[in-house]
Amino acid sequence: MMIRSAVALVLAFAASNSMAASFDCTKAASFAEKSICKDGYLSTVDSSLADAYKKALANTLDPDRLRQLQREWIAERDQCTTQKCLDQTLGARSTFLRNYVNAEKNEAYAAEQKARNEQFAAEREAEQAAHAKQVEEYKLAEEQARLQRQQTALQQQAAYPQVAPATSAYQPQAYVATRPASQAVAEKPFLLRMWQAFWTGPGWKYTLLLGFVISCWTVWRHHKETATIYTDYTDAAITNLLPASGVVAALLLRWLEMPGLAQAIVFAIGVLLGIFYAFYATLRANQGVLNITLVVLTKLTIISVFYAVIGMLIASLFSNSGRRKGESQARTAARHRREAQATMARIVAWSAAYTALTAWVCRNPEFTSISECLEFDMTPELA
């Protein structure tokens, strides 16, 4: 109590020299006003509240509402008849004014951000519409050019009905230059046309679904001990690391600026060695055409899917989207960092899940020597 009295005395002295109440103390009528005028500490608090109120009034979007709230608070303050009630009322008002200014700022920022987002969405929609229009115009121009080429070819054929014999390797230059585009597509290699049809159509989806069904069937037979996917951890590691070694070697040659053909050869060798060892280990651990076929297809399916997913995730790390419209350079860099971190998390999760799956389908949960994994005995056992 003595300490509070001393502090109040010091504040009262300071207030008498530098600060005073926010109202005319000669007209003080209520208990609250008289207490504020008598107590230097309360007078200082009241002056601080007045300054905070002026600042809030200058920053608010609705000054009339804030004035009404201030009048209501003054009426509530004047109802206090004890020192405790007055202290609580002044403290609560100080917290309210501080939070009110922050809330107004946050509301203004949210409104500004919403307007920016709406403007960005409208601009993006306009860009997409313009792009779609350009694509339609391009397709229309291409179709008109194709029809023009076909018409020109028909006119030239009518003007020059005599065509070289089929046994001759010579063709008129004008005819070669005006061949329809459909004929040029038809002259592509058969395997290339088949691959394009497979990849652009639903063929790869059916193949992936078939591989999934076969893999589930093989895992069930492995669980029933009628087939063996991997003999042990060493067998699984060799099967999965051989293709990875081809990828690493190809990247090393790329870093050394070796020709692209050498990179392709090294990569193909790693993949082919992985496929060869998968056949070798399957023949060594399984019997019967059905089991061998199912296990080989399962290995190729799960390894191909895993490396394809990991390859796409790694490629996405080097293909960050550019700077969006209305986005600052700092926000673009931060977004790229978040996307890279999320991609790395996906890579780690896929790798961990694939490693766990591979370890689960190993017949013997142990590592053995490489020489033991390479043993191959086709001598039939004696009954």
Side-chain angles (χ1 to χ4, degrees):
M1 186 67 182
M2 293 178 63
I3 295 175
R4 186 183 183 282
S5 300
V7 172
L9 182 61
V10 172
L11 291 176
F13 177 76
S16 65
N17 290 275
S18 61
M19 302 182 66
S22 61
F23 54 88
D24 188 1
C25 288
T26 60
K27 299 180 180 180
S30 63
F31 169 81
E33 292 178 347
K34 294 178 181 179
S35 298
I36 292 173
C37 291
K38 292 179 181 179
D39 193 327
Y41 171 77
L42 295 179
S43 178
T44 303
V45 173
D46 182 71
S47 298
S48 300
L49 286 177
D51 293 338
Y53 169 69
K54 293 178 181 178
K55 186 183 296 185
L57 195 63
N59 294 323
T60 184
L61 299 176
D62 191 357
D64 294 336
R65 178 173 178 270
L66 183 58
R67 292 190 185 95
Q68 179 63 29
L69 293 176
Q70 183 72 3
R71 287 191 291 268
E72 293 176 356
W73 173 78
I74 292 175
E76 179 183 354
R77 182 202 64 185
D78 291 342
Q79 292 179 0
C80 288
T81 57
T82 62
Q83 186 70 27
K84 181 178 179 181
C85 173
L86 186 59
D87 291 341
Q88 291 178 349
T89 303
L90 293 176
R93 190 58 179 177
S94 177
T95 303
F96 168 79
L97 289 176
R98 184 172 57 254
N99 294 336
Y100 187 85
V101 173
N102 294 332
E104 288 285 324
K105 291 181 179 179
N106 293 335
E107 184 177 354
Y109 176 78
E112 182 181 359
Q113 190 68 24
K114 181 179 179 182
R116 288 180 180 178
N117 293 337
E118 292 177 352
Q119 181 181 1
F120 175 74
E123 292 176 354
R124 189 175 184 84
E125 184 177 355
E127 290 179 356
Q128 292 177 351
H131 177 70
K133 184 178 179 181
Q134 291 177 356
V135 171
E136 290 295 331
E137 292 177 352
Y138 175 77
K139 290 182 178 179
L140 181 60
E142 284 289 320
E143 182 66 19
Q144 291 177 352
R146 186 183 66 81
L147 295 176
Q148 184 65 29
R149 288 194 298 268
Q150 290 182 354
Q151 185 178 1
T152 303
L154 293 175
Q155 291 176 357
Q156 290 183 355
Q157 289 179 4
Y160 301 98
Q162 299 295 329
V163 183
T167 56
S168 174
Y170 171 78
Q171 290 183 351
Q173 185 66 24
Y175 175 73
V176 174
T178 57
R179 287 179 298 175
S182 59
Q183 182 179 354
V185 173
E187 291 179 358
K188 288 184 179 180
F190 175 75
L191 294 179
L192 180 59
R193 286 189 282 120
M194 291 293 294
W195 170 252
Q196 290 178 345
F198 171 80
W199 188 247
T200 56
W204 67 273
K205 299 179 182 179
Y206 296 129
T207 303
L208 185 61
L209 179 61
L210 180 61
F212 176 76
V213 174
I214 292 176
S215 300
C216 292
W217 187 17
T218 308
V219 170
W220 179 77
R221 294 179 67 86
H222 176 88
H223 179 70
K224 295 295 184 180
E225 298 185 357
T226 58
T228 300
I229 299 177
Y230 291 117
T231 305
D232 49 38
Y233 294 157
T234 307
D235 179 18
I238 295 175
T239 305
N240 288 275
L241 291 180
L242 282 174
S245 64
V247 174
V248 173
L251 293 176
L252 178 61
L253 292 182
R254 181 181 179 85
W255 180 70
L256 295 175
E257 299 182 2
M258 298 295 289
L261 180 60
Q263 302 173 26
I265 291 175
V266 170
F267 172 74
I269 289 174
V271 174
L272 291 177
L273 285 176
I275 296 175
F276 173 78
Y277 182 79
F279 275 97
Y280 166 79
T282 302
L283 290 173
R284 179 173 175 267
N286 293 273
Q287 294 181 354
V289 177
L290 178 61
N291 286 338
I292 293 173
T293 303
L294 292 177
V295 171
V296 169
L297 291 177
T298 299
K299 288 182 177 179
L300 295 180
T301 299
I302 60 178
I303 293 175
S304 300
V305 171
F306 171 73
Y307 277 104
V309 172
I310 294 298
M312 289 187 292
L313 291 176
I314 293 176
S316 66
L317 290 175
F318 302 96
S319 60
N320 288 329
S321 58
R323 183 175 174 181
R324 296 174 180 173
K325 194 166 185 178
E327 187 178 41
S328 64
Q329 186 174 0
R331 289 188 177 182
T332 302
R335 178 169 56 82
H336 288 172
R337 286 194 298 269
R338 292 194 301 270
E339 292 175 354
Q341 291 174 358
T343 302
M344 290 299 300
R346 294 189 189 97
I347 292 175
V348 172
W350 271 93
S351 301
Y354 180 74
T355 302
L357 174 64
T358 304
W360 180 67
V361 296
C362 289
R363 180 67 65 193
N364 300 319
E366 60 182 0
F367 284 98
T368 58
S369 62
I370 298 179
S371 59
E372 184 177 347
C373 285
L374 296 178
E375 290 180 359
F376 190 80
D377 187 10
M378 293 295 294
T379 304
E381 296 182 359
L382 296 177

